[in-house]
């Protein structure tokens, strides 16, 4: 496993996982604020960051709508604005824990963050354009583009695009121009991005330029080849696009390899989140999962946002290596799987992750 300390760090304290496309992760051990500051929020890009002239930029809506339309940033700012919290986790977060190794960015625990997003409801934009009755999905397309390197791949260049089903599009999907009260930065999708609360990050399309309402299922590259997993349906493995985040608790401190004083009290702490359901319970084990102890959930639950938790650990009197694990359960009773689910491929890494520490 890669250790945080071994990677180069840009000035803002993020860990670099690649320059073009830009991929940056937060050192999760530094977690201490419910709202992740913008300069500490992870960055995940598939293509170079597009340069966008915000004066010329327009959001276009087309497809199965009564009246195709386009709006400038100023037009969107003048519509009813809303601010919502949402925790966003990359579907590949925690990939460095997978054995054997799989393809993809080697994220440790920090491809996750929690921000307050301000913008307009997608449903308000859909209502203005008049989505037709047979519409089933809404495709969100970004301005970023490039070729796909490995087969199976579409020819030429493609733009980053994902779809959401009509029910979600008419629900809580926000088209955001601000993050924690500041205009979006280029890396986070300036001038406008989607925020799909409770879903893995890949759904929250950045540099949004085109909204396409469709009456047939969308099978674009990032909807059908990438960002999918095998779900057992009717006894058959069926390829399904990734959507909702899976319930998960992560330990911020101690970090892997941390030296912890013997026979003392140590505050184990971290965050837990659960897709569209609230986190109901977090437990901690200090014996590699043999026994579990309840952690304290901190503050009040906030819809679609992570929940901080802590556990006051009376560390063992004997020096040695110990394996800590955190385990979350959501309000509908779903608990993290004990072991890796093979059907998830290189995504949805929410099985129990061991944090090995040294007690001295
Ligand atoms: N247009 C576009 N949108 C995108 C992506 C992208 O590469 N292009 N990456 C997606 C993925 S995989 C994630 S996890 C989130 C990351 O958002 P962030 O960089 O603001 O953290 O953006 C999503 N939206
Ligand atoms: Mo992602």
């Amino acid at each position: 496993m890669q250790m945080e300390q071994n990677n180069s760090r840009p000035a803002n304290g993020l860990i670099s996982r690649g320059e073009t496309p830009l991929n940056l992760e937060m050192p999760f051990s530094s977690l201490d604020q419910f709202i992740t500051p913008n300069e500490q929020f992870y960055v995940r890009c598939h293509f170079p960051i597009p340069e966008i002239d915000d004066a010329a930029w327009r959001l276009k809506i087309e497809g199965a709508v009564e009246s195709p339309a386009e709006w400038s940033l100023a037009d969107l700012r003048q519509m009813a604005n809303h601010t919502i919290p949402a925790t966003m986790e990359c579907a590949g977060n925690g990939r460095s824990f997978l054995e054997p190794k799989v393809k993809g960015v080697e994220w440790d625990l920090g491809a996750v963050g929690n921000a307050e997003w301000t913008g307009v409801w997608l449903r308000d934009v859909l209502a203005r354009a008049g989505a037709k009755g047979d519409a089933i999905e809404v495709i969100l397309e970004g301005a970023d583009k490039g070729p796909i390197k490995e087969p199976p791949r579409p020819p030429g260049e493609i733009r980053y695009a994902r779809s959401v089903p009509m029910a979600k599009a008419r629900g809580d999907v926000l088209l955001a121009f601000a993050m924690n009260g500041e205009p979006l930065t280029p890396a986070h999708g300036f001038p406008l991005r989607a925020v799909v609360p409770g879903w893995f990050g890949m759904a929250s399309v950045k540099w949004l330029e085109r909204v396409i309402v469709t009456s047939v299922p969308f099978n674009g590259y990032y909807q059908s080849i990438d960002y999918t997993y095998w779900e057992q349906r009717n006894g058959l493995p069926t390829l399904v696009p990734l959507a909702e985040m899976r319930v998960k608790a992560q330990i911020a401190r101690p970090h892997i390899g941390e030296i912890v004083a013997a026979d003392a009290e140590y505050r184990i702490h971290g965050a837990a989140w659960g897709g569209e359901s609230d986190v109901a319970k977090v437990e901690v084990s200090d014996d590699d999962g043999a026994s579990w102890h309840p952690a304290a959930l901190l503050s009040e639950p906030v819809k679609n946002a992570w929940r901080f938790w802590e556990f006051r650990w009376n560390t063992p009197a004997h020096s040695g290596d110990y394996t800590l694990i955190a385990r979350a359960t959501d309000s509908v009773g779903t608990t993290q799987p004990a072991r890796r689910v093979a059907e998830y491929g290189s995504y949805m890494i929410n099985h129990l992750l061991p944090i090995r520490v040294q007690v001295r």
Side-chain angles (χ1 to χ4, degrees):
M1 181 177 321
Q2 277 184 290
M3 297 293 298
E4 290 169 356
Q5 290 77 0
N6 296 338
N7 289 279
S8 62
R9 283 199 182 176
N12 54 8
L14 294 178
I15 304 159
S16 174
R17 303 286 182 211
E19 273 170 30
T20 314
L22 186 65
N23 288 307
L24 301 170
E25 102 169 82
M26 182 184 100
F28 195 71
S29 58
S30 70
L31 179 82
D32 63 352
Q33 296 177 70
F34 178 71
I35 297 291
T36 311
N38 291 352
E39 57 284 355
Q40 272 167 253
F41 204 100
Y42 81 98
V43 172
R44 171 69 177 118
C45 300
H46 292 78
F47 302 120
I49 295 173
E51 269 179 44
I52 295 178
D53 170 7
D54 55 323
W57 175 91
R58 295 288 181 276
L59 177 70
K60 299 175 203 68
I61 181 161
E62 57 192 61
V65 292
E66 302 299 341
S67 28
E70 52 178 71
W71 298 282
S72 68
L73 200 54
D75 295 335
L76 295 174
R77 287 181 178 279
Q78 275 160 22
M79 292 182 193
N81 289 183
H82 303 273
T83 298
I84 57 163
T87 291
M88 192 180 291
E89 182 193 17
C90 181
N93 187 38
R95 193 175 281 137
S96 69
F97 285 82
L98 295 186
E99 286 166 15
K101 290 215 166 301
V102 295
K103 268 187 279 183
V105 182
E106 279 282 297
W107 303 111
D108 284 333
L109 297 172
V112 59
N114 181 53
E116 280 187 321
W117 311 92
T118 302
V120 300
W121 293 126
L122 174 57
R123 63 172 186 250
D124 287 351
V125 164
L126 291 172
R128 284 183 183 229
K132 290 188 177 161
D134 62 346
I136 60 165
E137 288 183 20
V138 175
I139 306 168
L140 305 169
E141 188 192 52
D144 52 329
K145 57 178 189 294
I148 302 295
K149 291 186 189 81
E150 285 178 39
R153 59 187 172 94
E157 291 196 325
I158 61 165
R159 285 170 182 252
Y160 187 88
R162 280 282 301 191
S163 71
V164 285
M166 211 61 206
K168 185 70 176 172
R170 288 215 173 99
D172 58 358
V173 176
L174 194 74
L175 306 183
F177 44 73
M179 178 178 182
N180 296 330
E182 302 283 333
L184 291 176
T185 60
H188 292 297
F190 176 85
L192 189 76
R193 76 174 303 165
V195 173
V196 182
W199 286 36
F200 284 112
M202 81 278 132
S204 294
V205 175
K206 301 191 280 188
W207 311 292
L208 190 62
E209 273 193 345
R210 208 154 62 106
V211 172
I212 307 145
V213 181
T214 174
S215 52
V216 294
F218 175 58
N219 286 318
Y221 181 78
Y222 295 106
Q223 196 80 20
S224 61
I225 294 176
D226 202 359
Y227 292 116
T228 54
Y229 71 103
W230 295 102
E231 192 176 271
Q232 295 294 338
R233 287 189 181 171
N234 308 310
L236 318 163
T238 306
L239 204 54
V240 178
L242 297 176
E244 227 187 299
M245 294 189 289
R246 298 298 165 108
V247 64
K248 185 177 194 177
Q250 285 191 174
I251 296 173
R253 291 285 303 276
H255 58 70
I256 290 175
E258 187 168 325
I259 296 168
V260 171
D263 201 14
E265 191 187 83
Y266 185 101
R267 177 180 176 260
I268 301 175
H269 76 102
W273 53 95
E276 294 176 9
S277 307
D278 289 341
V279 170
K281 183 168 73 172
V282 174
E283 300 156 289
V284 172
S285 172
D286 66 354
D287 53 10
D288 203 7
S291 62
W292 294 93
H293 313 282
L297 295 176
L298 306 176
S299 318
E300 292 304 306
V302 176
K303 182 81 189 139
N304 295 317
W306 60 18
R307 188 112 183 243
F308 281 8
W309 56 266
E310 67 176 19
F311 175 69
R312 304 270 165 188
W313 184 32
N314 295 316
T315 65
H318 296 285
S319 292
D321 292 347
Y322 289 82
T323 299
L324 304 177
I325 309 175
R327 176 173 77 182
T329 302
D330 68 16
S331 56
V332 293
T334 308
T335 300
Q336 294 181 238
R339 264 169 281 284
R340 180 64 190 150
V341 182
E343 283 79 1
Y344 292 174
S346 58
Y347 295 118
M348 300 206 289
I349 299 137
N350 80 322
H351 64 290
L352 302 181
L353 301 179
I355 303 297
R356 298 208 166 81
V357 300
Q358 303 175 46
V359 173
R360 295 284 177 271

